[in-house]
Structures are given as structure tokens and as C-alpha cells.
Amino acid sequence: MAIARKRQISLVDTPYYHCISRCVRRAFLCGEDQFTGQSFEHRRGWVEDKLLSLAKVFCIDVCAYAVMSNHTHLVLYVDDKKAARLNDKAIILRWHKLCKGTVLTNKYIQGEQLNDAEQFFLNETINEYRTRLSSISWFMRQLNEDIARKANKEDGCTGRFWEGRFKSHALLDEAAIAACMAYVDLNPIRAKMANTPEESSHTSVKKRIASATEGKQPKQLLRFSGVPRQHMGKGLPFELKSYLELVELTGRCLREDKCGHIEDTYLPLLERVNICPENWLKLTTHFTRIFHGAVGRPSSHASYCENLNRKRRSNLSNCEKLLA
């Protein structure tokens, strides 16, 4: 039985989540149909463009993504503190970029005077919008619904484009975040859609590498902030250079099946998150097969389950083997 989304999201434990959406029947509705030869490759661009535009509106940052032929992988960072900081007008303006809003929100933006009753209901609406702008469910809803409508219009049909709900994993610590991001960024290479990370179309790693060649980090993605420290600003707790080297070395190992090379290579990120090379290879090749819920060290699991009042701890044995 599927677990309610509110029982999977615990921002007290982690703001990082891995989300997966699949096309109906896992058909190649975003790539090239191998049976008919018809190409829907342009739809992958739709997903990427919509994803990055939503990140500008929502208080949710994109850490990693890969738009495949029949599914999408996202690693998201929920910035609920930012949603709490924004004033009422900023919240309404952001939401109006997604939807038309209500009569009251439009009156407020136009500067019209509201009576006490109208102000009360307006405040209720603003609180609802504020919650939605830091909600993964609303983020995924806006993303998937827009793509489904465009695809169905292009095909001249109706019905489902995506398989029911999206799936998600809570990433409870640095080890889980690093493993999941590398798994996502290397998806096209494992699927033989690209030979190198910089050739992987519609992925975050390609965008990061393109910016890195100019000594920059892409504004559309959550920045790497370096090694964890006491007074650390918002950002991924790794060094960009170390992460890109990690992805390259892991990808080479996957392509050439030479696991011994990782053992003899010093990988700062692996050493820092304390994952042995053998376990790292399992994590970055079979992430979604191994894990079906929250991912992190056993100590992180305990806090996560306690805050969500969950007695059953899924993935615990695999987390103990691979991340402990």
C-alpha cells in the first residue's frame, strides 16, 4: 500500500528528496519510439525548461536532474525558511505566475481596499499559497500536469501521461545525497544514451560542467558550498570539483566495468561521507532497486521515523550494509 506523502516528507530531518516520475506503461513518450521510429525527443526539453522555470517560482531548489526517454529523476531541496521569510505580496506574485489566483488576491495586487472579512479570507489564502510554494507535491503537480497537457495536445488524445503518483526518497545525510545525485547524473550513461557526463543531454551534470568551464556555477541549480562547517550558508555540502571528479570516475567504472580503479583512486567525497568503493558502486548503479523509502545512515533513520511517528523502518538493512 502506498504511503501518504505527508508521512514521507519530514523537513525537520532533511530538506533533500529524490523524486521519480514515469510515463504510462513506461512507453518512450519523451524519447524515440523504437517500434515506430517516431521521435518525441523534444519533449525532454519541455520537461527541463519547465523544471527550471518552476524552481524560480517555488521555494524549492533543484540539486540534480535527468530527463530520460520514459521517466525523470529529480533531487530537490525544500527551502521552507525562504517561504516563511517572503512577504505577503511576494507570495501572491509568485503564485500568480502559476495560476490566476482569486478575486481577493487580484484586488490586493491592484491596491484595492479590502474590508475586514475580505482581509481575513485573503490571509487564509496567502497562508495556503505559502505552504504550497514549499510543497514537493505541488511542485511535481505543476511540472507533470503541464507536460501531460502539452503531450496530449500534440498527440490529439486524452488520458494519463504519467503513471499515477511520483515516487520519492528522503535523503537523510550527506552520504545519501551524494550517492543519489551521482546516480541521477549518470543515468544517461548507464542507459547508453551518452558516453560522457558533458554529453548527457537534459541533465544537471551537463549544465554544471558547462558553467564550470567558465569558472561559474549555474544559477538555475543549488550551488555547491564546499565542505560542511559550523557557519555554512545554503548549498550542497560538497566541493563542486570533488563532485564532478567523483561522477567522472564512477561513470568510467560503470562503462568499462573496472571496479578496481576506484579502489586505487583517492576520492575526497567518498572518504568524507565514509562509503567504501564497493558499496558506492552498488549505490550508484541500483539506487532505486535497493531503496524504496528514506535513505540514510541508521542513526538518521531513527530520527526520521520518530518525527513521522512511523514504526516500520524500510531500507534499514540495506542502509546498514551500504551506508553505516
Side-chain angles (χ1 to χ4, degrees):
M1 183 180 294
I3 301 173
R5 193 70 59 191
K6 64 182 180 181
R7 298 198 64 202
Q8 298 180 48
I9 306 297
S10 175
L11 298 181
V12 175
D13 294 292
T14 180
Y16 295 95
Y17 294 86
H18 172 217
C19 302
I20 312 165
S21 296
R22 290 190 179 277
C23 294
V24 290
R25 301 177 302 281
R26 300 193 179 185
F28 287 82
L29 300 181
C30 291
E32 183 174 335
D33 191 325
Q34 297 178 349
F35 297 99
T36 65
Q38 186 174 0
S39 176
F40 301 99
E41 187 71 15
H42 59 284
R43 293 179 182 175
R44 295 173 63 204
W46 290 356
V47 177
E48 184 177 28
D49 292 343
K50 184 65 176 180
L51 168 66
L52 298 178
S53 67
L54 286 175
K56 296 178 181 179
V57 178
F58 278 81
C59 298
I60 293 177
D61 294 284
V62 179
C63 304
Y65 67 87
V67 185
M68 306 298 288
S69 297
N70 58 7
H71 65 284
T72 61
H73 285 279
L74 311 177
V75 178
L76 303 175
Y77 173 91
V78 182
D79 193 351
D80 58 328
K81 295 180 180 178
K82 179 179 179 180
R85 286 196 310 269
L86 293 174
N87 60 39
D88 292 349
K89 185 175 183 179
I91 290 292
I92 293 175
L93 289 174
R94 281 173 178 257
W95 189 256
H96 281 187
K97 292 180 180 179
L98 303 171
C99 304
K100 294 180 179 179
T102 66
V103 173
L104 291 180
T105 59
N106 282 285
K107 286 180 67 175
Y108 176 82
I109 292 300
Q110 292 168 9
E112 297 183 25
Q113 190 69 31
L114 302 177
N115 60 39
D116 291 344
E118 289 176 326
Q119 187 63 51
F120 173 82
F121 287 110
L122 175 65
N123 292 339
E124 292 290 312
T125 301
I126 292 173
N127 290 335
E128 185 178 356
Y129 288 172
R130 193 182 301 275
T131 301
R132 290 179 181 180
L133 288 174
S134 60
S135 167
I136 288 180
S137 292
W138 274 93
F139 185 94
M140 296 300 294
R141 174 179 176 175
Q142 291 289 324
L143 173 63
N144 289 346
E145 186 175 298
D146 180 77
I147 301 305
R149 289 181 185 276
K150 291 176 70 174
N152 283 348
K153 182 178 180 180
E154 185 177 65
D155 293 339
C157 68
T158 59
R160 287 186 177 275
F161 183 81
W162 303 100
E163 276 185 358
R165 300 193 318 166
F166 66 93
K167 296 180 180 178
S168 66
H169 304 95
L171 307 176
L172 302 179
D173 48 41
E174 293 173 32
I177 296 168
C180 188
M181 286 183 62
Y183 167 79
V184 169
D185 280 331
L186 288 170
N187 249 251
I189 293 176
R190 285 194 298 277
K192 297 183 180 180
M193 295 172 65
N195 295 318
T196 62
E198 61 269 25
E199 296 175 359
S200 302
S201 299
H202 309 296
T203 62
S204 54
V205 70
K206 179 177 181 178
K207 191 171 290 293
R208 290 193 188 277
I209 291 173
S211 295
T213 57
E214 301 176 359
K216 302 177 181 178
Q217 292 199 50
K219 295 181 179 179
Q220 304 100 318
L221 303 175
L222 185 63
R223 294 174 58 85
F224 283 83
S225 295
V227 296
R229 50 196 181 276
Q230 185 174 1
H231 301 290
M232 184 174 180
K234 174 182 170 181
L236 291 160
F238 316 119
E239 293 176 350
L240 174 60
K241 183 174 182 292
S242 296
Y243 176 75
L244 293 179
E245 289 175 351
L246 176 66
V247 170
E248 169 65 23
L249 289 169
T250 307
R252 186 183 305 120
C253 177
L254 294 174
R255 290 196 304 274
E256 300 176 0
D257 197 25
K258 296 180 179 178
C259 300
H261 283 195
I262 290 182
E263 295 177 7
D264 298 330
T265 305
Y266 175 69
L267 298 177
L269 186 57
L270 283 189
E271 185 174 286
R272 185 159 65 252
V273 299
N274 195 28
I275 305 178
C276 73
E278 294 84 356
N279 287 347
W280 177 259
L281 187 57
K282 292 179 183 177
L283 287 167
T284 53
T285 52
H286 304 296
F287 194 92
T288 53
R289 296 181 189 176
I290 296 172
F291 301 115
H292 300 282
V295 185
R297 293 191 176 91
S299 57
S300 302
H301 258 269
S303 173
Y304 173 78
C305 292
E306 181 180 347
N307 287 323
L308 291 177
N309 195 25
R310 292 172 60 175
K311 295 181 179 179
R312 183 181 177 185
R313 300 182 183 182
S314 58
N315 293 329
L316 189 59
S317 60
N318 284 326
C319 287
E320 287 176 339
K321 293 176 185 176
L322 300 173
L323 295 169

